[in-house]
Amino acid sequence: MTAAATADRRARVAASLPEGLDALLVTNLVNVRYLSGFTGSNGALLLTRAGDATFATDGRYVTQAAAEVPDLEVLETRAVGPALVEAAGRQGVRRLGIETEHVTVAVQARLAAVDGAPELVACRPVVEPLRAAKDEAELAALTQACAITDAAFATAVASLRPGVTERDVAWTLQSAMHDHGAEAPAFDSIVAFGGHSAIPHHQPTDRPLRPGDLVKLDFGARYAGYHADMTRTVAVAPVADWQRDLHALVHDIQQRCRDRTVHGAAPAALDSYARELITDAGHQPAHGLGHGVGLEIHESPFLTPGSAADTLADRVPVTVEPGVYLPGRGGVRIEDTVVVRLAATECLTASTRDLIEIS
């Protein structure tokens, strides 16, 4: 991430500040990273309407900040929020927006107690909507994260044999992602055998793989801060007709939803379409169709009922992940990370969506 890129982001955020605010205090660490490049665990940013910015962190990160935030003034302090509120007062800021979705009541009280503090104003999310559309460097990192995810999937499928446990396969996925260059898993991998595959967010156990099991793998790699997300469901012989039929149904629904996930589509309408397809097939929808991915594994826009996003814009990556679950028997989810483009939507996760039958 270059200083020019973060400076451009700060300028766009400053230009979109709600009317009446003189500045914004950014305390959410993901937003701090997006606007400054800082990757440490204690930092905050003061951004004025004019586009001027002050960064604060503590002594543990001074050297790191010099490398990652070379273009900003750095305040060295443990209490980064209060220090920047005090700085805002000195700079003549009268009304200071705070990220109330990320600030506790206790923290807000400490900020308000700072001598000379400006008026603190609850601010709607400003940074998150701008983070939704990625620049090409961000998309390159996400593309690499997805390539690592695909490679790990191949390794995990090769490890599936009777007796291996869900936890074994989860560790195999983590090791494979590391071996292929991931900095970390994007989230805790979901590995679900047999009836466990009907639980949308099952946590891996010591349950061993048995003949006739469906195997649901939902996982992703993180690369340069960007999170991939993919789900595939495979089957272990002997494979029953109902398992093939269920997989074929979800495959068809996912393809139809992918075909509609294009520039200008409304996220809530996409979710509604997926629910309609699942309901028409005689099943009960269990979760939203998808979500944005980037510096967080779940971020705007959300393909859910009542989504706040109006339409999908250019260069917005989202997941498309319908699932159908039969409690006690098994479930199928197929998920891809795709990027909406003006001309056509690009799929970044390339692993086959056809049913793999392991003999």
Side-chain angles (χ1 to χ4, degrees), residues 181-216:
E183 63 186 16
F187 53 95
D188 291 338
S189 299
I190 297 171
V191 179
F193 296 165
H196 288 170
S197 62
I199 304 170
H201 275 197
H202 172 70
Q203 295 180 337
T205 69
D206 289 325
R207 197 270 200 194
L209 185 64
R210 302 177 186 127
D213 278 346
L214 286 174
V215 177
K216 183 179 67 188

Side-chain angles (χ1 to χ4, degrees), residues 16-19 24 98-101 122-129:
S16 63
L17 287 182
E19 186 176 351
L24 176 68
I98 58 174
E99 298 180 301
T100 49
E101 291 197 3
C123 187
R124 60 168 172 78
V126 178
V127 183
E128 289 86 346

Side-chain angles (χ1 to χ4, degrees), residues 295-327:
L295 287 172
E296 294 180 286
I297 187 58
H298 298 104
E299 61 179 50
S300 182
F302 292 92
L303 280 58
T304 55
S307 174
D310 293 328
T311 58
L312 294 178
D314 183 35
R315 294 178 286 106
V316 171
V318 296
T319 66
V320 181
E321 50 180 299
V324 175
Y325 311 96
L326 308 180

Side-chain angles (χ1 to χ4, degrees), residues 87-280:
R90 292 197 305 269
Q91 294 174 22
V93 171
R94 293 175 301 168
R95 302 185 81 238
L96 176 64
I98 58 174
E99 298 180 301
T100 49
E101 291 197 3
H102 307 292
V103 175
T104 66
V105 173
V107 169
Q108 185 171 348
R110 286 198 291 272
L111 296 178
V114 172
D115 287 341
E119 177 187 356
L120 301 183
V121 181
C123 187
R124 60 168 172 78
V126 178
V127 183
E128 289 86 346
L130 296 178
R131 278 175 35 203
K134 274 58 177 178
D135 60 34
E136 293 304 327
E138 292 179 287
L139 291 177
L142 183 58
T143 298
Q144 183 60 27
C146 289
I148 294 168
T149 301
D150 283 324
F153 174 69
T155 300
V157 169
S159 77
L160 294 175
R161 61 189 182 278
V164 70
T165 69
E166 292 172 340
R167 283 197 180 98
D168 291 336
V169 178
W171 278 110
T172 296
L173 283 169
Q174 181 165 329
S175 178
M177 287 187 283
H178 172 269
D179 291 345
H180 287 283
E183 63 186 16
F187 53 95
D188 291 338
S189 299
I190 297 171
V191 179
F193 296 165
H196 288 170
S197 62
I199 304 170
H201 275 197
H202 172 70
Q203 295 180 337
T205 69
D206 289 325
R207 197 270 200 194
L209 185 64
R210 302 177 186 127
D213 278 346
L214 286 174
V215 177
K216 183 179 67 188
L217 305 173
D218 183 348
F219 67 103
R222 191 179 80 205
Y223 179 83
Y226 287 81
H227 298 68
D229 199 353
M230 183 177 80
T231 307
R232 294 293 187 266
T233 306
V234 305
V236 179
V239 182
D241 287 342
W242 73 265
Q243 294 172 321
R244 294 190 180 98
D245 292 343
L246 187 63
H247 192 279
L249 171 66
V250 176
H251 186 290
D252 179 65
I253 292 172
Q254 203 246 5
Q255 184 62 60
R256 291 186 183 205
C257 292
R258 269 183 43 175
D259 290 344
R260 291 196 176 199
T261 305
V262 296
H263 184 266
L270 291 172
D271 176 79
S272 178
Y273 178 62
R275 291 174 185 273
E276 178 183 336
L277 293 175
I278 292 170
T279 301
D280 287 348

